[in-house]
Amino acid sequence: MAVAVQFSCFKRKRGAFLVVFMLVYLWGSLISLSCAARLSVSRQKLEVEKHLKRVNKLPIKSIESVDGDIIDCIHISQQPAFDHPFLKDHKIQMRPNYHPEGLYDEEKMSTRSKESTNPITQLWHMNGRCPEDTIPVRRTKKDDILRASSVKKYGKKKPKAIAKPRSTDPDLTNESGHQHAIAYVEGDRYYGAKATINVWEPKVQQSNEFSLSQLWILGGSFGQDLNSIEAGWQVSPDLYGDNNTRLFTYWTSDAYQATGCYNLLCSGFIQVSSAIAMGASISPVSALRNSQYDISILIWKDPKEGHWWMQFGNDYVLGYWPSFLFSYLAESASMIEWGGEVVNSQPDGKHTATQMGSGRFPEEGFGKSSYFRNIQVVDSSNNLKSPKDLGTFTEQSNCYDVQTGSNEDWGHHFYYGGPGRNPNCQ
């Protein structure tokens, strides 16, 4: 009997000991998790602060824009491009040696065309301008970086974001979530491209989606070695924290993997203009059955130095991408694309309602549908020419479509875009 009682007491003590042990273990685990979480947050905070110090250079002057942006006027020699090890001793080229011949003559355009060339500017201009020998840089804020999945991925497109017109793969967009409606040329050597792009403010359904209209200068294959220079306008809540239409550029020399970025968010593009800020809001934008606004973008390869230059409108030569950044584009481009791109994240398992262009299909025409007009390519003699054998491509024409045309005023042109999700696009 005494032995049974003793054994029972032992069992109770062991049970109590196990409970205490488990409580101590759980408490220790919680403390460890809490410490790890605090350490992770602290590490992230440190990374963000280091990145902010790296990208936000000391300004000579700062201008607060009405849209909440802060534009820093940075001395031209202190811009982010010169963080690149190959640009430490680079002598800035203030203007291109050669400009392409054969720019479309705006003076000869008809009344309807002139209606679509209303003056366009950037919102920050309302509160000031940057002085000479400086460049305007949109200040990166902590929240901008925190919206990205990581500091490393901030300011970068995801791989496989490019339209591949000849692809026979019906699941092309399902893999990347990107959809396009473009016109393109290939099969020759190209030394630049130009377009006048209708500017809208499309609705973007999810914050991790975007809608853009741009031109692509492409070299290499559509594998891991793709070279791309891109410029146009975009609405990207993730990148900018709002739904404003903004001027942007992008470059990559390895299919969006490790190299390149948007605007001036990494070293690469060398800006020389004090007037236009990459990533800043464009104003005004077009409205349905109302005034239409557009921007002209020209990108070309300087035959002497080999750099790729960018011009905005007729007056602003913005700067250049040094040729050493690229492999294939160090020589020439093998393909040019113009058109729209959206991200379809398939919210709720359905096609996104993010709009492309004006959100209207091409057949609705001027004043309703968005357009690219006077599209041209630069040939080996540095002349602007009409594109030959212009093709079109869209992954799902019932979501976003493209229709080309040609006339005396608009040269080669096309209407493009769409609403995304609709009864025929689910």
Side-chain angles (χ1 to χ4, degrees), residues 263-324:
N263 307 324
L264 303 180
L265 295 176
C266 66
S267 53
F269 184 82
I270 297 172
Q271 184 157 337
V272 298
S273 170
S274 62
I276 302 295
M278 303 292 193
S281 299
I282 297 170
S283 177
V285 296
S286 304
L288 201 63
R289 300 185 190 88
N290 210 320
S291 296
Q292 297 299 296
Y293 297 89
D294 52 31
I295 57 172
S296 291
I297 289 176
L298 167 65
I299 296 173
W300 80 101
K301 189 173 178 61
D302 187 323
K304 186 178 178 184
E305 301 289 343
H307 305 320
W308 287 91
W309 284 82
M310 176 178 170
Q311 179 172 309
F312 178 76
N314 294 321
D315 304 317
Y316 304 111
V317 174
L318 298 190
Y320 57 95
W321 291 269
S323 59
F324 78 80

Side-chain angles (χ1 to χ4, degrees), residues 149-332:
S149 56
S150 70
V151 171
K152 196 176 177 182
K153 291 179 181 175
Y154 170 63
K156 294 181 179 289
K157 278 189 178 184
K158 292 179 181 176
K160 296 176 183 170
I162 202 79
K164 189 179 178 184
R166 290 282 169 88
S167 174
T168 54
D169 180 2
D171 293 324
L172 175 70
T173 58
N174 294 340
E175 191 178 358
S176 67
H178 291 247
Q179 287 188 255
H180 309 80
I182 63 163
Y184 68 95
V185 289
E186 62 178 342
D188 203 347
R189 289 175 176 266
Y190 306 101
Y191 296 84
K194 182 180 183 289
T196 298
I197 313 171
N198 197 194
V199 179
W200 292 80
E201 192 175 271
K203 290 183 174 62
V204 174
Q205 184 181 345
Q206 302 286 118
S207 63
N208 64 335
E209 298 178 338
F210 64 62
S211 180
L212 58 76
S213 297
Q214 66 170 64
L215 56 87
W216 290 259
I217 312 282
L218 300 168
S221 69
F222 282 85
Q224 307 299 305
D225 60 353
L226 182 75
N227 289 197
S228 182
I229 292 174
E230 307 167 25
W233 61 258
Q234 70 180 161
V235 175
S236 179
D238 232 15
L239 187 59
Y240 304 106
D242 60 27
N243 291 285
N244 290 356
T245 301
R246 295 169 177 273
L247 175 70
F248 83 95
T249 60
Y250 199 95
W251 71 273
T252 179
S253 61
D254 62 357
Y256 309 96
Q257 294 178 95
T259 62
C261 61
Y262 279 110
N263 307 324
L264 303 180
L265 295 176
C266 66
S267 53
F269 184 82
I270 297 172
Q271 184 157 337
V272 298
S273 170
S274 62
I276 302 295
M278 303 292 193
S281 299
I282 297 170
S283 177
V285 296
S286 304
L288 201 63
R289 300 185 190 88
N290 210 320
S291 296
Q292 297 299 296
Y293 297 89
D294 52 31
I295 57 172
S296 291
I297 289 176
L298 167 65
I299 296 173
W300 80 101
K301 189 173 178 61
D302 187 323
K304 186 178 178 184
E305 301 289 343
H307 305 320
W308 287 91
W309 284 82
M310 176 178 170
Q311 179 172 309
F312 178 76
N314 294 321
D315 304 317
Y316 304 111
V317 174
L318 298 190
Y320 57 95
W321 291 269
S323 59
F324 78 80
L325 293 172
F326 306 102
S327 50
Y328 294 98
L329 289 180
E331 297 299 322
S332 63

Side-chain angles (χ1 to χ4, degrees), residues 381-398:
S381 302
N382 202 35
N383 291 318
L384 275 156
K385 303 281 189 184
S386 293
K388 288 181 182 175
D389 303 320
L390 191 66
T392 61
F393 172 78
T394 181
E395 291 93 349
Q396 289 180 272
S397 59
N398 50 354

